[in-house]
Amino acid sequence: MSRYSAAEIEAKWQQAWDRAGIFKATREGDKPKYYVLEMFPYPSGRIHMGHVRNYTMGDVVARYKIATGHNVLHPMGWDAFGMPAENAAMASGGHPKDWTYGNIADMRAQMKPLGLSIDWSREFATCDPEYYGQQQALFLDMLAEGLVYRKNAVVNWDPVDMTVLANEQVIDGKGWRSGAEVERRELTQWFFRISDMAEELLEALDGLENWPAKVRLMQENWIGKSRGLQFAFGLNEGPDGHDRVEVYTTRPDTLMGASFVGISPDHPLAKTLERDNPDVAAFCVEARKGGTTAEAIEKAEKMGFDTGLRARHPFDTSCELPVYIANFILMDYGTGAIFGCPAHDQRDFEFATKYGLPIIPVFEPVEATDEPLTEAFVPPKSEKTRFVRGFAGDEVQTGDAAVNAAIEFCEQNGVGQGVTKFRLRDWGLSRQRYWGCPIPVVHCETCGVVPEKKENLPVQLPYDEDGTPIDFGVPGNPLDRHPTWRDCTCPACGAPATRETDTMDTFVDSSWYYARFTAPHAATPTDLAEAEYWMNVDQYIGGIEHAILHLLYSRFFARAMQITGHLPKKAIEPFNALFTQGMVTHEIYQTSDAKGRPVYHLPEDVSDGKLADGTPVEIIPSAKMSKSKKNVVDPASIIAAYGADTARWFVLSDSPPERDVEWTASGAEAASKHLARVWRIASEVANAPETATPEADEALLREMHKAIDEVTKGVESFGFNAAIARLYAFTNTLARSTAGKAAKTEASLTLAQLMSPMTPHLAEDIWAMLAGTGLVATAPWPLADPAMLVDENITLPIQINGKRRAEISVPHDMPKSEVEKVALAHDAVIKALDGAQPRKIIVVPGRIVNVVI
RNA sequence: GCGGGCGUGAUGGAAUGGUAGACAUACCAGACUUAAAAUCUGUUGGGGCGUAGCCCCGUGUGGGUUCGAGUCCCACCGCCCGCACCA
């Protein structure tokens, strides 16, 4: 072979790795372990460039760790349950199981040519009964520990599809599929008791030093800890059982400014009133309407209904506050009731203005004015504010100090107590869906809700082996409609009973898969010895879109699995380091149809800004690749055209890994050319002279050691784009070098090693071509010789008053005083000084000289 | 509204407080070629002058700290992301 042929060498070296079995992870050996994991894919059927980028980054880490003497675990699996499979079955017949396993086979076939260092013997899909059966066992253990419970909850209910919708699936108050007006409905659902761990999940964030600060902050905000006062207003003439209303406030310092009390339409008091008063009932129905999305909330008008009830102010019993039912008060935060302080809260201000309620300021700016308020004054924490109508006289208080003083005062006077609340709510896991992990419980008329016996696990989803076809053509949960699947016997009393037909949220599946990878075929959820050895995940890599839910749920599960004895204590935080990579983007090519509607075109159909028939396209700036905008490039076609190494090299170059990278045809072309060039340079080493000047040899080897040093630092710090830039520079040096054969061979072998994490096939081929020992994949990573990193003579810039004016060449270890002398002797410095003495000379060894005049 | 991040050539982007623009793309010029492709070489932040060279300006805007600021601090402008009737 005289030319670089990706197609030939990639298949060849993948087979060589397979034969050598170098990626199979075993517990033997005394090397330190390293567990690298990328977020596993949903089997949609096609891999996309985002997958390529994600898995390439993980592969760089894994291969680098292998080369640096680690025992590496690098597994892959499939997040295989979920709605798309059911939707596909609904749309075109077939069965979600067949659809999913077909997609997995397709995607695996697309992924293997990438040459990833994956231990495929550990592969599993979350829809394998072997996996979800263990998940059911885990669920039962969590149930026994009280980590899961049932309760009534308000959900978005689509009356046409007859299913619960997630908030993201409610658009303009309507179901995303059916278009039907979404109802708020109370259903009995299963919940994980994650809110009990709110404090711990929050505090432990501090220890996650190798997580992006952004992700930690997002989780912190999501958990939403707040400190406030909880107390009750006494009610005048409240209905039976309602002589008081509990409220929670983070601003007790504004209590003297209260002018109304508001309760949620779902508040028990509102529900009592609703029974006897049709006007209240009508209002509550109206107020409960609309989704819970941000968009819906934005549009909803603030509505209140005066119940006629009056609440007594705890510090001024002569002051009576009207009690309103208001549509903006949420039942599931705080107590579902608030007091309104219009002077210091914008939302309360708007409400008070609409309903003509008094606005009573309690703080005033230091520079007070007599003008009436036009908007609420929210005292900024940094600004001095004065506590005017205070409990503690005229004392000056600001921010938290005012809040704390108010809580203290209230507690001393027997009005409520300081409490800490969290925004984080328990995690509802019930889904009225077929394609998910069945919740392994049984409903018995005499025994109630009974856990299934472990020996009966897995509770398997019905297929249609027994000739009972499952109908996905109609809305609702097919498990509910199945003629026989629900029928079972009560595990407790043996009487006929029915199965729970709800399945688990797919986030459950992905909350512990990382633990299962350590022993994917164990007869229990985990094998403690394996988990003890392999956990934690040393490096986790995935998209920022999972910053909150998946990562928070996984942190909860790691704790729950420890409580239930399925993970060792050390795995309380499952991911030691997290890296969130950016997306792959592409320009969008658009034309318009006869009616002016946009028509999108695939990149492969556009060249030079024109379609094949010469029609010019409008180019819309780069955005995330999406099928609807057709700005997608199929990895398979890139691999076919250029090879996997080119795709790998390109997604890593150009942009920092945490940022988006724009896929361009010219960039892919350039990457491919470069790899061919490297191959050619290496193949031409044989033509180099046997002997060359010692200077040329040394210059090349010095450059080689600098490249080793910088590429190593780049790979270790996720600076893959910088490492690649350095490899380009080193390749240029090698190409131009006049060094002899021995030095060039050494340099080329090292170049192959440094490239091997990114372009493993090319590296392997060069390694073999130049008679490297064994496989480059398992060759020890090269070490930079510190002595070779510093040149004998260095160039020092000379600044005059901080501006670069000249440079000198001096030995690298020349003492400061000598450097000073050389600098002062320079023509430019003499000219600038014009006979005067410098005021100051700063010499930073190896860096710079600054002469201050 | 609350929280966070980012602004550097035509473009993607480099730069532990120490020579701004590494590396790459694009463009232009040259070599090789009948020609093209491929390959190789070179130029490219702006302005100026007495043009083998030298000078001035330059990292969103305005200030500040420092011998020295793309980098640190303050204010402003613009863009992006997360959360949100959260009491």
Side-chain angles (χ1 to χ4, degrees), chain A residues 4 9 645 675 678-679 752 755 759-767:
Chain A
Y4 168 64
I9 69 169
D645 280 342
L675 299 189
V678 170
W679 192 91
M755 289 177 74
T759 56
H761 314 86
L762 171 68
E764 209 68 79
D765 213 55
I766 292 172
W767 188 257

Side-chain angles (χ1 to χ4, degrees), chain A residues 503-530:
Chain A
T503 51
M504 297 186 203
D505 180 4
T506 55
F507 274 109
V508 179
D509 313 336
S510 55
S511 291
W512 70 286
Y513 77 108
Y514 51 87
R516 184 70 182 169
F517 273 137
T518 65
H521 307 298
T524 47
T526 59
D527 175 322
L528 272 182
E530 295 287 343

Side-chain angles (χ1 to χ4, degrees), chain A residues 502-792:
Chain A
D502 282 357
T503 51
M504 297 186 203
D505 180 4
T506 55
F507 274 109
V508 179
D509 313 336
S510 55
S511 291
W512 70 286
Y513 77 108
Y514 51 87
R516 184 70 182 169
F517 273 137
T518 65
H521 307 298
T524 47
T526 59
D527 175 322
L528 272 182
E530 295 287 343
E532 177 70 38
Y533 178 80
W534 289 113
M535 288 298 288
N536 297 342
V537 176
D538 291 280
Q539 182 66 59
Y540 197 32
I541 306 171
I544 188 77
E545 68 272 20
H546 293 113
I548 297 173
L549 296 184
H550 163 60
L551 289 165
L552 189 63
Y553 292 159
S554 294
R555 296 179 63 220
F556 164 72
F557 251 72
R559 284 166 171 78
M561 289 177 79
Q562 198 186 137
I563 291 166
T564 51
H566 295 299
L567 274 181
K569 196 171 177 62
K570 65 185 250 188
I572 192 157
E573 282 296 341
F575 311 123
N576 286 351
L578 172 69
F579 189 86
T580 52
Q581 101 274 0
M583 298 179 302
V584 182
T585 66
H586 198 288
E587 287 177 335
I588 298 168
Y589 305 118
Q590 183 187 323
T591 55
S592 300
D593 68 6
K595 289 180 179 166
R597 287 172 305 210
V599 178
Y600 299 105
H601 303 277
L602 289 167
E604 66 220 48
D605 297 336
V606 176
S607 69
D608 277 340
K610 291 190 187 99
L611 298 176
D613 64 5
T615 315
V617 296
E618 190 186 340
I619 297 173
I620 298 171
S622 214
K624 180 181 184 174
M625 287 188 177
S626 84
K627 277 184 195 157
S628 63
K629 297 278 198 282
K630 289 200 175 177
N631 61 335
V632 289
V633 173
D634 182 10
S637 66
I638 296 299
I639 292 171
Y642 301 108
D645 280 342
T646 290
R648 295 171 57 119
W649 183 259
F650 182 54
V651 293
L652 294 174
S653 60
D654 275 13
S655 282
E658 67 275 15
R659 248 187 268 178
D660 293 350
V661 65
E662 182 180 25
W663 185 277
T664 59
S666 59
E669 187 73 30
S672 171
K673 280 183 190 174
H674 177 71
L675 299 189
R677 180 171 178 242
V678 170
W679 192 91
R680 196 174 53 245
I681 290 166
S683 69
E684 285 166 4
V685 162
N687 304 336
E690 287 296 337
T691 55
T693 60
E695 291 78 16
D697 281 359
E698 178 166 338
L700 180 61
L701 295 180
R702 278 189 183 279
E703 199 55 27
M704 180 186 89
H705 281 277
K706 285 180 194 166
I708 293 171
D709 183 55
E710 289 173 40
V711 171
T712 304
K713 283 175 183 159
V715 169
E716 284 193 345
S717 63
F718 273 85
F720 300 137
N721 58 324
I724 282 179
R726 193 64 186 81
L727 287 166
Y728 268 108
F730 180 44
T731 305
N732 291 340
T733 305
L734 175 60
R736 285 166 203 168
S737 171
T738 54
K741 194 185 278 182
K744 280 202 166 185
T745 302
E746 189 182 347
S748 301
L749 283 168
T750 301
L751 176 62
Q753 280 192 288
L754 296 177
M755 289 177 74
S756 68
M758 293 113 170
T759 56
H761 314 86
L762 171 68
E764 209 68 79
D765 213 55
I766 292 172
W767 188 257
M769 189 197 298
L770 299 176
T773 313
L775 291 167
V776 74
T778 51
W781 192 252
L783 287 174
D785 177 358
M788 295 289 273
L789 298 179
V790 188
D791 293 329
E792 283 304 309

Side-chain angles (χ1 to χ4, degrees), chain A residues 38-106:
Chain A
E38 303 100 52
M39 291 181 185
F40 67 164
Y42 177 78
S44 60
R46 303 295 297 173
I47 67 165
H48 52 70
M49 277 300 168
H51 291 127
V52 174
R53 195 172 190 214
N54 189 197
Y55 307 139
T56 301
M57 286 181 197
D59 203 44
V60 170
V61 174
R63 287 176 177 273
Y64 172 73
K65 289 295 172 182
I66 291 172
T68 50
H70 293 80
N71 195 19
V72 170
L73 172 58
H74 185 203
M76 180 61 69
W78 310 93
D79 188 13
F81 274 136
M83 302 231 310
E86 259 180 277
N87 293 340
M90 261 192 242
S92 55
H95 193 284
K97 179 179 167 183
D98 303 329
W99 185 87
T100 302
Y101 280 104
N103 284 353
I104 289 173
D106 290 348

